[in-house]
Amino acid sequence: MTKKLTALLAVLAATVLAGWGAGVAVAAPAKIFIGGGSGILVLKGGNSAAACTLTTIGRSKTGKLIGITAGHCGNPGQKVYSETFQDRGQAGTITHSFSDLDMAIIEMDASRVVPLRTVRGVTIRSVDPRPIGFPTIACKEGRTTGNTCGIAWFSEGDVHLSQLCVIEGDSGSPVVVGDRLVGMVNAYYFLGCFGPETGTNIKPILNRVASVPEYKGFKIA
């Protein structure tokens, strides 16, 4: 055996052994893409889950990635999954739920969740804290009825009333005027998509988020 061949075999052997010592590479978990208008699933225990819609997603000054949805969708401690990417694992956990505003805060797994500003028919570029009212045309993106628009009848205090088409599963849907987020869908009266929609305005929602120390300075991602 020549000296060159002996040296080559020694190099190959060292490379193989180094590879064995390093172990097997593990692929990074697949990302979860989610934003205002995305369908979410909140685990209730066992095989039971509530289907709702995310209002928006953003970051606090402390670097937390958080989402907002309707309060009746879940309670603190319950796990949240993306409806579209549910096979990619848990997206976040509900940390706070406020019954007076019917809103909940979800702390997302920032290592896995990729925040979106555009989900199907809605793009959210900014927040408008002004109350909406007649004759403004507002729109929403919901996991059940998709993108629909309707006239806003009035806004009083924390709530608004509009003619948006909503049914079960649309709770938490972002209400927008153009690309400005103005509120959240919470419920409807009388008959879905015929009775008026009612929801919470974005200003009291953001004020409540800011009242939680670790979530202060929330901005849309």
Side-chain angles (χ1 to χ4, degrees):
M1 185 179 293
T2 66
K3 291 183 178 180
K4 288 184 178 180
L5 181 57
T6 301
L8 177 60
L9 290 174
V11 170
L12 290 174
T15 302
V16 170
L17 289 173
W20 285 346
V24 179
V26 178
K31 297 296 184 179
I32 302 168
F33 299 87
I34 194 168
S38 295
I40 56 174
L41 300 174
V42 182
L43 298 193
K44 300 294 187 177
N47 295 322
S48 175
C52 285
T53 304
L54 194 72
T55 309
T56 191
I57 188 170
R59 298 184 187 277
S60 67
K61 286 184 177 179
T62 58
K64 299 284 188 180
L65 182 64
I66 62 173
I68 299 169
T69 192
H72 64 264
C73 292
N75 299 312
Q78 291 180 328
K79 298 177 180 179
V80 178
Y81 286 72
S82 160
E83 186 171 25
T84 302
F85 301 105
Q86 56 188 283
D87 60 334
R88 298 186 180 183
Q90 184 179 346
T93 303
I94 294 179
T95 56
H96 297 76
S97 184
F98 304 98
S99 59
D100 60 329
L101 294 178
D102 193 17
M103 61 160 287
I105 302 174
I106 305 164
E107 188 164 320
M108 299 292 185
D109 183 346
S111 68
R112 308 187 71 181
V113 172
V114 178
L116 303 176
R117 284 201 174 191
T118 298
V119 174
R120 295 182 293 274
V122 161
T123 296
I124 301 173
R125 290 195 173 93
S126 63
V127 171
D128 190 344
R130 296 172 296 178
I132 58 172
F134 185 83
T136 304
I137 299 298
C139 299
K140 73 99 182 59
E141 181 71 45
R143 55 83 59 193
T144 307
T145 58
N147 185 238
T148 61
C149 300
I151 194 167
W153 295 116
F154 72 92
S155 178
E156 182 177 352
D158 297 337
V159 303
H160 64 262
L161 195 70
S162 81
Q163 204 56 47
L164 291 173
C165 169
V166 300
I167 57 176
E168 284 76 7
D170 289 329
S171 293
S173 296
V175 178
V176 301
V177 176
D179 58 8
R180 296 173 287 122
L181 179 64
V182 298
M184 161 202 296
V185 169
N186 290 106
Y188 61 85
Y189 291 107
F190 310 120
L191 188 63
C193 285
F194 290 96
E197 171 267 346
T198 184
T200 310
N201 295 329
I202 196 63
K203 184 177 180 179
I205 290 173
L206 295 183
N207 287 344
R208 189 60 56 87
V209 172
S211 72
V212 181
E214 61 267 37
Y215 300 147
K216 284 185 176 181
F218 172 82
K219 290 185 178 180
I220 294 173

